[in-house]
Amino acid sequence: MRPFDDTYFMKMALAEAALAAGEGETPVGAVLVCNDGIIARAHNQTERLNDPTAHAEMLAITSATNLLGAKYLTGCALYVTVEPCVMCAGAIAWAQVRTLIYGAPDLKRGFRKYAPLSLHPKTIVKSGVMEEECAGLMTAFFRSLR
Amino acid sequence: MRPFDDTYFMKMALAEAALAAGEGETPVGAVLVCNDGIIARAHNQTERLNDPTAHAEMLAITSATNLLGAKYLTGCALYVTVEPCVMCAGAIAWAQVRTLIYGAPDLKRGFRKYAPLSLHPKTIVKSGVMEEECAGLMTAFFRSLR
């Protein structure tokens, strides 16, 4: 039995996404994991901070590098509920995150469309972890705006 | 006579880049301009903040949106000494910056290589403003590291 698997950490990212939804933010959540321990949790705060750069991934990376006192996250895994955008993919590349695991694809704004080669060449990417739950939060949020 | 032209604002960005160099940071500087007035100035602070996301453009965008209390910079021009990376291009897109003016190209890490279509479709791009001075600061910096 392995309690700390991809599903476990994606559930933590989903809990962050749910917090975002409750605050009227686009429901994306992220956690950064190092040696099976969560070192940063964040959710989208672009509305609260009036800052278009305040995506969950950016906040998690800034928080984790601050905690570790290091610019690189080469031993870390980033769990994020939705495929990162170009900006976040660029940040993930600079931080040299070892593994990127995301839930739902973002066909409109995801990095795979605009910058498929932007990640660090050593970064491993997994997708589709709890995809339905991750996408469901986004669908419900955008439906509520209409 | 037009005192506030591209050269004028690029000189302000260069002054920021020179500050970065003096602090041992990669010498990139940026200013955000709205109605011929500078509303944000920033330079690279990745070393000081231990944060791979602390590029000049990111800090300038966060600072300007904070000042204006708005998530978008549709009426603004961003002057930056070096071609933005993928992360910064993504942020410039989210902020819907109207005009991007950069000095020197970055053939290795610039967004034009990895994400040429990542900017907002309405964003106007100019390059080569004071290119020699902008590139010169970078060359001198990287030579000093060897």
Side-chain angles (χ1 to χ4, degrees):
Chain A
M1 189 180 163
R2 194 170 160 256
F4 299 121
D5 59 4
D6 284 347
T7 306
Y8 174 84
F9 291 118
M10 192 58 84
K11 277 184 185 167
M12 298 295 119
L14 268 165
E16 284 292 320
L19 286 177
E23 296 165 6
E25 303 276 1
T26 306
V28 181
V31 297
L32 260 164
V33 175
C34 196
N35 298 329
D36 277 355
I38 293 177
I39 59 167
R41 301 168 191 263
H43 57 268
N44 195 310
Q45 292 201 56
T46 54
E47 298 299 327
R48 169 178 290 186
L49 301 177
N50 254 327
D51 184 349
T53 75
H55 285 193
E57 302 94 312
M58 303 298 286
L59 300 173
I61 288 170
T62 296
S63 172
T65 52
N66 191 27
L67 175 80
L68 299 178
K71 268 197 321 176
Y72 301 113
L73 301 169
T74 41
C76 299
L78 176 67
Y79 290 82
V80 54
T81 55
V82 179
E83 180 187 343
C85 72
V86 170
M87 172 180 71
C88 293
I92 291 163
W94 283 117
Q96 300 184 18
V97 171
R98 188 166 58 185
T99 317
L100 164 66
I101 304 101
Y102 66 84
D106 181 349
L107 301 178
K108 269 193 183 169
R109 296 281 207 159
F111 77 97
R112 287 198 181 263
K113 179 176 175 185
Y114 290 104
L117 301 176
S118 58
L119 295 181
H120 193 273
K122 288 191 181 165
T123 298
I124 300 157
V125 181
K126 293 191 210 175
S127 60
V129 176
M130 301 192 73
E131 177 172 343
E132 214 169 301
E133 292 85 345
C134 294
L137 269 180
M138 292 288 273
T139 311
F141 177 76
F142 286 112
R143 194 179 294 139
S144 74
L145 294 183
R146 271 184 232 128
Chain B
M1 188 178 163
R2 196 171 157 253
F4 300 121
D5 59 5
D6 285 346
T7 306
Y8 174 85
F9 290 118
M10 191 58 83
K11 278 184 187 168
M12 298 295 119
L14 268 165
E16 284 293 321
L19 286 177
E23 295 166 4
E25 304 275 3
T26 306
V28 182
V31 296
L32 261 164
V33 174
C34 197
N35 297 328
D36 277 356
I38 293 177
I39 60 168
R41 300 168 193 262
H43 57 268
N44 196 308
Q45 294 201 55
T46 53
E47 298 299 328
R48 171 178 287 184
L49 301 177
N50 255 327
D51 184 349
T53 75
H55 285 194
E57 302 94 313
M58 304 297 287
L59 300 173
I61 289 170
T62 296
S63 172
T65 51
N66 192 27
L67 176 81
L68 300 176
K71 266 198 318 176
Y72 302 113
L73 300 169
T74 42
C76 300
L78 176 67
Y79 289 82
V80 55
T81 56
V82 179
E83 180 187 344
C85 72
V86 169
M87 170 181 72
C88 294
I92 291 163
W94 283 117
Q96 300 184 18
V97 171
R98 186 167 59 183
T99 316
L100 165 66
I101 303 102
Y102 66 85
D106 181 350
L107 301 178
K108 270 194 183 167
R109 297 281 207 158
F111 77 97
R112 287 200 182 261
K113 179 175 175 184
Y114 290 105
L117 301 175
S118 57
L119 295 180
H120 193 273
K122 287 190 181 166
T123 297
I124 301 157
V125 182
K126 292 191 209 175
S127 60
V129 176
M130 301 192 75
E131 177 174 339
E132 214 169 301
E133 292 84 348
C134 295
L137 270 180
M138 292 288 273
T139 311
F141 177 76
F142 286 112
R143 193 178 294 140
S144 74
L145 293 184
R146 273 184 232 129

